[in-house]
Amino acid sequence: MTLRASAAAAVLAATALLGLAPQAVAAPVPQPVPQPEAATAEHRAAAGRAANAPDTLATLSRFFAREGKVSLTAAQPRIEGEAVPVNHLSPDFVAGRPGASVARLEFLASRAVSSDGQQAALWTARTENGWQVVNIATGDDEFRYARLGAAKLPGGTVFREPQIDAWYVAGGGRVLPLDEDGVRAVGGGGTTLGAYRARVAEAYGDKLPGSAYAERGAAGGYAEAGADTGAVPDAVPDAVSAAAEGAHVPWTAGAGVLALGTLAVAAVRRSRRVGARA
């Protein structure tokens, strides 16, 4: 797996990657809060406002200019279209809780485009301070897989299994793959929802919230040997470093765990993949 350029500014990575002001680094970090069960029109509108905020656009300018591809003043980032929901494999589903859906909402993604054509996804989540952009990630995975899933299974639920970076669409008792990682996991023709649950329960059942694994804050076990960690500063939090290595990190509630609720946190994006928490 090749790493994609890293995403948004971090407590320590912010200054290095985006040149954020020192006071931004010291800003208090909201604690992760549960996300809504589904993205309503109101949630999408709130995500859109956060994505279009002047401070967000200023940070996007620094993000797009970080490698010298475009100048800070010429970046002129804009937000295109409506925010889309991004779902991840649900730990309740893995645990076999009655009525649990295969996936849960992790964040909403807004497409950002610079004047020279660079694209990024703004991840917006509900925090204790309201809806905020919690990460910026290069590329268009969220939007591309939403489109592919709608075409492959209209009305289905598009979701990601972050532990192996696989994308699927689920519906009608079936789970169908949307990328090569999904094909390796469930086959080109997909699998039944029951068979998929059996697979993820075996793989992750001992790593759910409350498990000894999660309590230890353990990471590791899913990294590919020799993975390129990309241009991520050394002095980033352990959980972020684990993500950079494609490692399995403990399951915790809410998208805030990825970026701790502010633009002052780093997460790692894969080339056509995202390294993320379990």
Side-chain angles (χ1 to χ4, degrees):
M1 290 185 178
T2 53
L3 287 176
R4 204 168 178 169
S6 178
V11 173
L12 294 171
T15 302
L17 291 181
L18 303 180
L20 294 182
Q23 58 266 33
V25 176
V29 175
Q31 293 301 307
V33 300
Q35 298 305 296
E37 290 187 4
T40 66
E42 182 180 359
H43 298 147
R44 292 172 190 261
R49 289 192 295 271
N52 281 283
D55 286 350
T56 302
L57 296 176
T59 300
L60 274 169
S61 292
R62 295 192 291 274
F63 178 74
F64 285 130
R66 72 196 183 283
E67 295 177 352
K69 295 178 181 179
V70 64
S71 72
L72 186 64
T73 55
Q76 300 180 335
R78 64 187 185 276
I79 305 302
E80 292 189 346
E82 189 178 46
V84 300
V86 179
N87 305 295
H88 282 185
L89 174 64
S90 169
D92 287 343
F93 178 79
V94 174
R97 292 195 172 92
S101 298
V102 66
R104 69 179 183 188
L105 181 68
E106 287 292 298
F107 53 87
L108 298 179
S110 298
R111 186 195 303 269
V113 182
S114 71
S115 61
D116 66 338
Q118 293 181 71
Q119 293 191 51
L122 290 171
W123 298 0
T124 306
R126 186 168 63 185
T127 74
E128 63 180 15
N129 292 331
W131 285 87
Q132 294 184 321
V133 176
V134 298
N135 193 54
I136 306 172
T138 56
D140 67 344
D141 283 9
E142 294 81 4
F143 319 105
R144 184 160 47 87
Y145 288 119
R147 184 176 66 251
L148 289 173
K152 193 166 190 175
L153 187 59
T157 298
V158 175
F159 72 100
R160 180 171 174 265
E161 183 184 331
Q163 296 85 354
I164 61 170
D165 189 36
W167 287 84
Y168 311 93
V169 59
R174 300 284 299 175
V175 176
L176 307 179
L178 296 177
D179 68 354
E180 61 185 22
D181 295 302
V183 170
R184 281 195 291 269
V186 301
T191 188
T192 66
L193 190 63
Y196 179 72
R197 202 205 76 79
R199 188 185 72 78
V200 296
E202 181 178 1
Y204 315 125
D206 61 345
K207 299 174 179 66
L208 293 169
S211 66
Y213 180 93
E215 292 299 325
R216 289 198 312 270
Y222 293 90
E224 291 191 10
D228 176 12
T229 56
V232 181
D234 292 336
V236 294
D238 290 343
V240 176
S241 299
E245 295 166 3
H248 182 102
V249 294
W251 231 313
T252 50
V257 73
L258 288 173
L260 304 181
T262 72
L263 277 178
V265 169
V268 172
R269 190 63 178 259
R270 294 188 178 284
S271 180
R272 293 192 176 274
R273 298 177 171 84
V274 181
R277 70 177 174 81

